[in-house]
Amino acid sequence: MTIVRPSVALTARRPARSLAAATVALLLAGCATTGAPPPEADAPATPATPAASDTSEPPAASTAFPSTYEPLAHPATVLRNATVFDGTGRRFDDADVLMIDGKVAGVGRDLAIPAGTAEIDASGKWVTPGIVDNHSHLGVYPSPSVRAHADGNEATAPNTAQVWAEHSVWPQDPGFVRALAGGVTALQVLPGSANLFGGRSVTLKPVPARSVQEMKFPGAPYGLKMACGENPKRVYGSRGRQPSTRMGSFASYRAAWIDAQAYRDKWDAYERKRAAGEDAEPPKRDLKLETLKGVLDGEILVHMHCYRADEMLQVLDMAQEFDYRITAFHHAIEAYKIADRLAEANVCASVWADWWGFKMEAYDTVPTNAALVHAAGGCAIIHSDSDMGIQRLNQEAAKVLGDAERMGLAVEPAEAWTWLSLNPARSMGIDHVTGSLEAGKNADVVVWSADPFSVYAKAEKVYVDGALAWDLDNPAHRPITDFELGQPGEGDLK
Amino acid sequence: MTALTLAPATVAARAANAFPRPRVGRLTRRLGVAVAALAAALAPAVPAMAQSVAITNARVVTLSDAGTLANATVVIEGRRITAVGANVSIPRDATVIDAGGGWVTPGLFAPAGRLGTVEVGAVDGTRDDQVSGEAAGFSAAFKVSYGVNPRATAIPVSRTEGVTRAAVTPVPGDSLFGGQAALIHLRPAADAVFKDSVAMVVSLGEAGARRTGGSRGAAMGALIRALQAADTIGPLDLTQRWDGPIPRADAEALAPVVRGEIPLMVQVHRASDITQTLKLIERFERLRLILHGAAEGWMVADRIVRAGVPVILDPTANLPASFDRLGATQRNAARLIEAGVTVAFVPAGSDSHLPHLIRQSAGNAVANGVAWEEAFKAISLNPARIYGVERELGALDRGKLADVVVWDGDPLEVRTNPTHVFIEGVATPMTSRQMKLHARYSDLDGAPPFAYRRPE
């Protein structure tokens, strides 16, 4: 049986801490020469593959459309003398960041640098883990925004759990390159929020590719996009269909979970029979129920668009009723009102810095939302939901820091970086391989021209798996999508 | 004369941050009066009367010939600035704000957007930012000013971020023309509009084509016919039937546009559309233009500067969001400014609810090659120039209206906040609905229950 490894992170509050502490201890001891990654750190780096002889395995969704991602050339590189946020909440001054074989090999001073390692002078620069955006529609709502490209919402039925965002992704979306230039090294592309069950998300690296498979983040679990509130009831209510009200939405969710439980039971019964050596016909696969079963089995992570506090609490009750987990509430405008409950339930709040007022459920925004969630001990995430915002997520976090300071809520900048990398990675089940600069993790690293919480900072170099995927100062490392080739401004500094 | 340090009665005062916090003091022996005056100035419900204020020990960005002054003082008396400089005398009765070396600038001026006309985007009854020409029977005659709500919750949100003035520009609905823009102040008041009919909004390019018959030629043709009708319109004669190509009310509204009294604000992006738009000046010699959008402006910067046309743009726009914007780049602003074009920045976000993000726009412009002072002008002085109110607004200079902001750091940095916002000499309250919501829920364990908590 092939299972996408559920993230340990989802049960442990801050799983990276122990590893971080170990790294720090090593650094403090002045002997941070960590060449070999810890064995468990990068284990699921390859996609699971089906057992060739066994055709009667349970739904093999996790093995379909496998990642064919290959990192670019990634010679061993050390970034010298930078100010470093390691992504776990720590800051290092005048530190080196060593990348070997596409992995972080160490952060600190006096690292043992193997011969032949390329040296980059990063003095005066800042280095952080690559930004991870857990809410993007790049590729499914690409630029140019024309009707022919609008592939993000299968708004033909309130439950389309059977659709997969990756089948809509246009790899030539120039937005991917802009995101990369903004320091993004991983992103979750979600279906839109027209439906109660929007479909499966896909986790990508914003690297130039001919197919979406070449962008798929190896080993990343799938997510399921769900939506609360105004959007589904507006879309379907206007067509005279359920849901036209919030209570209609909940009735529809619950009916779907009941179907999913029955589907799971059918498969479980089949598996028991097979295990007992009995003859058994596998049930017919149902793509919609397969996705929901994945959630019940803990293999698919629920990312739920939900603005209002009261509605989020109802959803948490529903998750208890059907025994599944919500990984993150997205947009979560009112997360600050229930920050204690979200922390207790170990559910991340993925939010904008300051968007508000565009609909009723976005009326009660505070620009300190992320900081209040963080202060309550919760998992705060700054997401974009925007092809513009994704280019400046560091500034979005900076605005929250500024507004929080004004309200008497001081957050350490190094800690706030968890909102941009480690926490979103955790919500996507990839925090064991990215999201911080701990030794053994993928070398997803950004060199900033200045303090990345300054509006003036630019991502100068962006490394994905130790490979220089973006270089502000070198056109040879600035990809141009097919769409922009031969157009006005081709190759321009965008 | 010893300045007494008072705790500002604002939410902001509770901040414990890394920036040096300006101290409020007072040059007077009558302490009680000072406290009362200050309390009045900061009380949210009652707008304070303008009074004498001296902001000392400040890095003053004047945007006048004086440039940026270190260790300077700004004196406000009544509605106006009465002195700016290093060695100015402070009126005896002035409230003194020691800026602690912090920054003082002119108030921010959003050059376009919908502030005060949209309370909740998806709640139709709260929207007054556009007209259906088909339903109303007019479009150019539409004045957005009638719908401006001085009590919109977005106004304090933006004011406490340093915005003191904004142009409210209607959005074209189903017609070519969006209607007439107005200027508002963000001071608590019964009426926010201080100058009406400051621009006529029209949309060309792809968007204009969609509204007029499916092609750019249709949009330009419709615009030219409308301007011609306006050019020939006589005094209203009720005995004569109007058979012009556009409603009579629209032709009347467009007459001052053709006469050059009101600028035509053209929303356009593609370089070729900008070129065609600029040609309108050959046909209508007195026409004054403002370009709004202009993502490909840099490609025809020389033509724009020759025509003397200012440009309102989003300096962060860098995606080929449509075929009109293939050349979009964050270098647009720097290239236009380099060519000599007057530019102003719209927010990198919602122009109805986040107009204060013009600061973030300006900061990003600096990160992409614009000089700091030029970027700051693009969100203060240049909008004032574009709308012809630069004699009163946009700079810190003796005699100008006292729109003055004291900041706790570099105002183009996104982490910086204002500590004081004066609009026409009035110290405005540093509170917003958002701040109250924050205060209500900042302590989730506390008592009494949330709905009984009434933050200041």
Side-chain angles (χ1 to χ4, degrees), chain A residues 4 31 77 106 128 205 209 216 271 323 356 364 368 439 492:
Chain A
V4 176
C31 56
T77 304
T128 68
K205 293 171 187 268
K216 281 178 82 170
E271 276 164 23
D323 193 22
W356 75 288
D364 280 5
T368 45
D492 201 355

Side-chain angles (χ1 to χ4, degrees), chain B residues 193-240:
Chain B
V193 175
F194 71 93
K195 192 175 180 194
D196 202 356
S197 301
V198 293
M200 174 68 67
V201 176
V202 66
S203 159
L204 292 177
E206 202 176 299
R210 196 169 56 238
R211 294 183 175 97
T212 47
S215 69
R216 287 170 166 76
M220 189 59 86
L223 174 59
I224 289 170
R225 283 204 309 162
L227 293 176
Q228 283 170 338
D231 201 17
T232 56
I233 194 169
L236 182 62
D237 179 352
L238 290 172
T239 65
Q240 279 198 319

Side-chain angles (χ1 to χ4, degrees), chain B residues 16-369:
Chain B
N17 70 30
F19 298 106
R21 182 150 294 284
R23 295 181 298 278
V24 174
R26 178 159 160 79
L27 287 172
T28 178
R29 286 170 291 274
R30 290 170 297 162
L31 177 62
V33 177
V35 173
L38 191 62
L42 297 168
V46 187
M49 298 301 293
Q51 56 184 325
S52 295
V53 175
I55 304 160
T56 63
N57 190 18
R59 175 184 175 131
V60 180
V61 178
T62 69
L63 301 187
S64 73
D65 294 341
T68 295
L69 308 170
N71 270 319
T73 295
V74 176
V75 178
I76 301 168
E77 291 179 84
R79 301 164 63 212
R80 298 197 180 265
I81 297 166
T82 52
V84 180
N87 297 304
V88 301
S89 62
I90 296 171
R92 293 183 62 84
D93 67 339
T95 300
V96 173
I97 297 167
D98 181 344
W103 298 58
V104 174
T105 69
L108 306 186
F109 193 144
R114 298 170 295 149
L115 181 60
T117 61
V118 183
E119 184 61 29
V120 179
V123 177
D124 290 347
T126 71
R127 290 189 62 156
D128 293 286
D129 55 334
Q130 63 176 264
V131 69
S132 161
E134 204 176 309
F138 58 85
S139 56
F142 172 67
K143 289 190 178 191
V144 79
S145 59
Y146 291 121
V148 170
N149 178 12
R151 293 173 190 84
T153 54
I155 286 181
V157 169
S158 278
R159 182 175 63 221
T160 52
E161 293 277 348
V163 180
T164 62
R165 309 273 164 170
V168 183
T169 46
V171 179
D174 52 8
S175 312
L176 187 63
F177 293 101
Q180 298 166 50
L183 300 183
I184 63 169
H185 65 74
L186 276 69
R187 190 163 44 85
D191 194 354
V193 175
F194 71 93
K195 192 175 180 194
D196 202 356
S197 301
V198 293
M200 174 68 67
V201 176
V202 66
S203 159
L204 292 177
E206 202 176 299
R210 196 169 56 238
R211 294 183 175 97
T212 47
S215 69
R216 287 170 166 76
M220 189 59 86
L223 174 59
I224 289 170
R225 283 204 309 162
L227 293 176
Q228 283 170 338
D231 201 17
T232 56
I233 194 169
L236 182 62
D237 179 352
L238 290 172
T239 65
Q240 279 198 319
R241 231 182 99 81
W242 168 256
D243 57 358
I246 55 171
R248 174 156 185 123
D250 286 346
E252 284 173 351
L254 287 166
V257 174
V258 181
R259 290 197 300 267
E261 293 158 18
I262 296 175
L264 186 68
M265 179 186 287
V266 184
Q267 298 179 346
V268 69
H269 284 295
R270 201 170 80 177
S272 69
D273 292 325
I274 294 172
T275 301
Q276 295 301 328
T277 300
L278 296 176
K279 283 185 186 172
L280 284 170
I281 302 175
E282 296 167 15
R283 195 185 278 258
F284 302 96
E285 286 179 356
R286 286 177 295 172
L287 191 67
R288 285 192 297 136
L289 296 172
I290 300 168
L291 295 175
H292 181 196
E296 292 190 347
W298 63 274
M299 292 164 60
V300 287
D302 54 337
R303 284 170 182 265
I304 297 172
V305 77
R306 263 205 313 275
V309 171
V311 176
I312 297 171
L313 60 89
D314 173 0
T316 68
N318 67 344
L319 278 166
S322 67
F323 277 86
D324 276 12
R325 287 174 268 183
L326 296 175
T329 166
Q330 292 188 86
R331 299 273 147 179
N332 194 21
R335 289 171 187 167
L336 287 169
I337 290 168
E338 171 80 7
V341 177
T342 297
V343 303
F345 298 148
V346 290
S350 161
D351 66 2
S352 57
H353 288 75
L354 298 165
H356 50 278
L357 297 188
I358 53 177
R359 281 208 287 141
Q360 190 181 0
S361 293
N364 279 282
V366 172
N368 287 281

